């Protein structure tokens, strides 16, 4: 059974940093292409970042180098390090296994003064 549990969201001010976590179970994590997505209020869920098994990453252009995705295989956890957060980053963030239809509950990030 594939399970994804996002955590680490919260309310922060613009310019703050936050690291989101995604605890993974039910599949061979190290062999999987993992992604982060987000749903900004009023918009459809969008892709944010991808991490390949070999460590290569790619990000949506709108992030402008502010986010970093990584994994800790020992902890079976995927991370999204977010720096210099902007109000437009406010969203529910989800991790995802590319070839699976399973989604977690997401974690809410609110960036506001």
């Amino acid at each position: 059974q594939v399970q994804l549990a996002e955590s680490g969201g919260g309310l922060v001010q613009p310019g703050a940093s936050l690291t989101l976590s995604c605890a993974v179970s039910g599949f061979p994590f190290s062999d999987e292409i993992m992604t982060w997505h987000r749903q900004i209020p009023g918009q459809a869920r969008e892709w944010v970042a991808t991490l390949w098994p070999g460590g290569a990453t790619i990000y949506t252009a709108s992030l402008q180098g502010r986010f970093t995705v990584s994994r800790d295989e020992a902890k079976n956890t995927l991370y999204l390090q977010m720096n210099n957060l902007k109000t437009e980053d406010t969203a529910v963030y989800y991790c995802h296994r590319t070839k699976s239809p399973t989604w977690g509950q997401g974690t809410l990030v609110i960036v506001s003064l």
Side-chain angles (χ1 to χ4, degrees), residues 26-39:
F27 62 90
F29 180 61
S30 62
D31 295 336
E32 300 296 315
I33 300 171
M34 300 296 298
T35 60
W36 282 98
H37 301 250
R38 68 184 179 186
Q39 186 167 15

Side-chain angles (χ1 to χ4, degrees), residues 38-47:
R38 68 184 179 186
Q39 186 167 15
I40 295 171
Q43 301 183 22
R45 184 159 55 201
E46 65 177 351
W47 167 79

Side-chain angles (χ1 to χ4, degrees), residues 4-73:
L4 305 168
E6 299 93 342
S7 63
L11 174 62
V12 298
Q13 294 183 318
S17 295
L18 201 60
T19 299
L20 307 183
S21 298
C22 172
V24 174
S25 63
F27 62 90
F29 180 61
S30 62
D31 295 336
E32 300 296 315
I33 300 171
M34 300 296 298
T35 60
W36 282 98
H37 301 250
R38 68 184 179 186
Q39 186 167 15
I40 295 171
Q43 301 183 22
R45 184 159 55 201
E46 65 177 351
W47 167 79
V48 172
T50 298
L51 173 63
W52 279 268
T57 58
I58 191 169
Y59 305 88
T60 186
S62 64
L63 297 179
Q64 303 176 56
R66 297 180 295 111
F67 290 12
T68 302
V69 61
S70 63
R71 76 177 82 205
D72 186 331
E73 295 183 2

Side-chain angles (χ1 to χ4, degrees), residues 45-109:
R45 184 159 55 201
E46 65 177 351
W47 167 79
V48 172
T50 298
L51 173 63
W52 279 268
T57 58
I58 191 169
Y59 305 88
T60 186
S62 64
L63 297 179
Q64 303 176 56
R66 297 180 295 111
F67 290 12
T68 302
V69 61
S70 63
R71 76 177 82 205
D72 186 331
E73 295 183 2
K75 294 182 177 181
N76 225 34
T77 300
L78 185 73
Y79 300 98
L80 183 66
Q81 181 181 342
M82 307 184 295
N83 300 315
N84 191 25
L85 284 162
K86 303 178 182 298
T87 56
E88 57 262 40
D89 294 320
T90 294
V92 177
Y93 286 76
Y94 303 86
C95 63
H96 186 62
R97 179 193 183 207
T98 301
K99 61 183 180 181
S100 173
T102 301
W103 294 86
Q105 293 300 116
T107 186
L108 177 62
V109 174

